[in-house]
Amino acid sequence: MESYDLIIIGGGPAGLAAAVAARDNGIESILILERDKDLGGILNQCIHNGFGLHTFKEELTGPEYAARFIAQVKERGIEYKLNTMVMDISSDKVVTAMNRQEGMIMLQAKAVILAMGCRERSRGALNIPGYRPAGIYSAGTAQRLVNMEGFMPGREVVILGSGDIGLIMARRMTLEGAKVKVVAELMPYSGGLKRNIVQCLDDFGIPLKLSHTVIDIEGKNRVEAVTIAEVGPDRKPIPGTEERYTCDTLLLSCGLIPENELSRSAGVEISPITSGPVVNDSLETNIQGVFACGNVLHVHDLVDYVSQEASAAGRNAADYILHGHGENAKQVEILPQGGVRYTVPKYVRPEEMEDSLTVRFRVGDVYKNCAIATYFDDQLISRRKRPVMAPGEMEQVVLQKAKLAEYPDMKHITIKIEEA
């Protein structure tokens, strides 16, 4: 059995940034395992710009952003295996993987970083009635077909869901000559970034219908038409509000789910809200030496945040490999309340943490003229006014180690939304 100090599962933006950070913090023996034929992950099919504004201070396309990190990995001589599928991670960090060249391989790691990214919600999870004709795609599959395979899925398109990929595909299909009839969204707010709504829908005159969903799909061999209807507060269709659109393609952009089958089978504790691992301030899961970062942890809106988080995971994994753990360090739980759906991380170790810690979270609804308040037990520590907050945009609070040290007996930290 081969041994490595650090094994990283996933060669997308999270895995690459984590590998670079671990090498720069003194870890020589690193292996990246990637199931695709190239490094770069989902960025390879995201040919639109808007990446890298935080990390590189310039606007890049997805492949350009990935190429910079791939170059850093190659400069440092970090080992990687492509076309390699990880089958299992044991509790003592033995990784079982397989590929065509070596067959089944077992690798022993001192630490593991989970960076498997996320997948799209399928039609089966959405319970849309109708037959199963050709022409129904998830937005990410359509993106891969158009941008990488050079294949147009259809000419008349209806999109269900206003996640970022769906919005970007509305623009992409329009630019390729298709007619996007409508984007329907079940919720009363969009799931995507504001800039994508403006640049991808408004600029091209594509209507966005909030509080609408697909109630019927017509066609046996190929999609022929789709019926959408308005939904009430209970998310059930309102009779009499039906609208029928003839089309040959339906794209589904109904949310992303962290790819956590491996994590689950390894015994990692999974959050019921994010569907990602529960982690502490070093992004370590409940299994010692197993860290998680990027979209496998929770779904991010910007790849720059993925890279920042992954770099932190790489640094922390390096520290764990070189120095072990402060055993029995005190943990303080972060409680999300009043509209905050979850926080990453969930636990903070005031003595072990870095000087400052970025806590990221999403809100559960659209809030206007409100404030993000942070409490140490019942003591108000910070309050930041926000004119508008929406579930599609990630929010953050920065905790300072020096401030935490002033409250040695603190039981928990609360982050909540209050009226401004």
Side-chain angles (χ1 to χ4, degrees):
M1 193 189 298
E2 280 189 80
S3 293
Y4 289 88
D5 285 345
L6 176 61
I7 292 178
I8 297 169
I9 300 169
L16 296 171
V20 168
R23 168 57 55 90
D24 291 351
N25 281 271
I27 303 302
E28 289 300 316
S29 150
I30 302 172
L31 175 66
I32 302 171
L33 298 173
E34 168 55 54
R35 66 182 177 188
D36 210 352
K37 63 182 195 300
D38 300 299
L39 292 174
I42 201 70
L43 289 180
N44 293 328
Q45 70 183 50
C46 300
I47 63 171
H48 52 279
N49 58 2
F51 300 93
L53 291 166
H54 297 262
T55 310
F56 298 112
K57 304 292 181 269
E58 56 183 304
E59 200 168 25
L60 304 171
T61 65
E64 286 171 333
Y65 186 95
R68 298 211 174 174
F69 276 99
I70 292 167
Q72 290 179 25
V73 164
K74 289 181 175 171
E75 277 163 22
R76 288 163 177 74
I78 295 170
E79 195 183 335
Y80 57 88
K81 289 182 193 287
L82 302 174
N83 298 310
T84 301
M85 190 78 179
V86 175
M87 311 304 291
D88 184 57
I89 308 163
S90 74
S91 53
D92 51 359
K93 298 186 273 294
V94 174
V95 176
T96 307
M98 65 195 303
N99 59 34
R100 281 182 172 178
Q101 288 71 37
E102 301 161 278
M104 192 77 96
I105 47 177
M106 295 181 84
L107 307 159
Q108 176 70 59
K110 289 182 186 169
V112 173
I113 295 180
L114 306 171
M116 292 90 75
C118 58
R119 59 186 160 83
E120 293 179 280
R121 240 186 212 101
S122 65
R123 178 185 172 186
L126 301 172
N127 293 330
I128 302 171
Y131 290 104
R132 300 186 62 176
I136 302 174
Y137 299 88
S138 69
T141 303
Q143 186 181 50
R144 187 179 176 98
L145 289 171
V146 174
N147 293 348
M148 295 183 78
E149 318 288 339
F151 172 80
M152 266 301 271
R155 290 284 159 203
E156 292 191 305
V157 186
V158 170
I159 298 177
L160 174 62
S162 61
D164 288 313
I165 310 172
L167 299 174
I168 286 161
M169 281 313 291
R171 173 178 67 184
R172 188 79 186 94
M173 298 291 277
T174 304
L175 292 173
E176 287 296 337
K179 171 76 179 141
V180 179
K181 302 274 184 91
V182 68
V183 177
E185 168 59 57
L186 177 69
M187 305 305 274
Y189 49 78
S190 166
L193 293 169
K194 183 75 181 155
R195 71 175 191 206
N196 284 336
I197 297 169
V198 173
Q199 292 171 6
C200 301
L201 299 187
D202 299 355
D203 290 0
F204 292 92
I206 298 167
L208 170 62
K209 300 213 162 189
L210 300 174
S211 299
H212 279 70
T213 192
V214 170
I215 59 165
D216 190 31
I217 299 170
E218 293 172 43
K220 277 199 172 176
N221 297 322
R222 174 90 199 190
V223 176
E224 291 167 11
V226 163
T227 304
I228 69 171
E230 194 176 341
V231 296
D234 59 357
R235 312 264 183 274
K236 293 211 169 89
I238 300 168
T241 61
E242 298 86 0
E243 294 171 60
R244 183 175 176 274
Y245 293 87
T246 56
C247 62
D248 60 13
T249 307
L250 173 64
L251 299 188
L252 305 174
S253 173
C254 304
L256 300 164
I257 306 166
E259 187 80 83
N260 269 306
E261 284 65 31
L262 269 179
S263 320
R264 242 185 221 100
S265 64
V268 170
E269 184 190 347
I270 301 290
S271 156
I273 294 164
T274 62
S275 299
V278 173
V279 294
N280 65 15
D281 55 276
S282 70
L283 302 174
E284 188 177 26
T285 66
N286 59 313
I287 299 177
Q288 218 177 49
V290 177
F291 299 80
C293 59
N295 281 355
V296 81
L297 182 54
H298 58 140
V299 177
H300 294 63
D301 43 8
L302 298 180
V303 73
D304 302 77
Y305 295 159
V306 168
S307 302
Q308 285 171 20
E309 191 177 88
S311 296
R315 282 198 307 276
N316 295 329
D319 187 55
Y320 169 79
I321 293 163
L322 296 170
H323 307 117
H325 249 291
E327 290 299 322
N328 308 323
K330 180 190 169 191
Q331 285 203 133
V332 176
E333 186 174 359
I334 303 178
L335 303 174
Q337 284 183 4
V340 178
R341 291 192 63 225
Y342 67 87
T343 66
V344 169
K346 189 179 181 187
Y347 299 101
V348 179
R349 299 162 307 155
E351 282 110 51
E352 304 278 325
M353 67 182 272
E354 295 183 348
D355 291 338
S356 70
L357 173 70
T358 302
V359 178
R360 295 203 164 95
F361 61 90
R362 286 184 192 267
V363 293
D365 207 341
V366 175
Y367 293 92
K368 292 187 175 165
N369 299 324
C370 52
I372 300 169
T374 307
Y375 290 85
F376 290 179
D377 289 337
D378 299 324
Q379 182 73 39
L380 178 66
I381 299 300
S382 70
R383 210 159 178 280
R384 194 168 89 251
K385 286 189 178 174
R386 298 283 281 120
V388 64
M389 286 191 284
E393 313 246 354
M394 215 183 249
E395 301 291 338
Q396 61 185 45
V397 164
V398 178
L399 298 178
Q400 302 295 342
K401 183 172 185 170
K403 191 73 184 167
L404 283 147
E406 294 172 20
Y407 296 83
D409 302 324
M410 176 170 46
K411 300 281 185 291
H412 48 75
I413 298 166
T414 306
I415 299 176
K416 59 178 168 183
I417 309 299
E418 297 180 342
E419 287 183 16

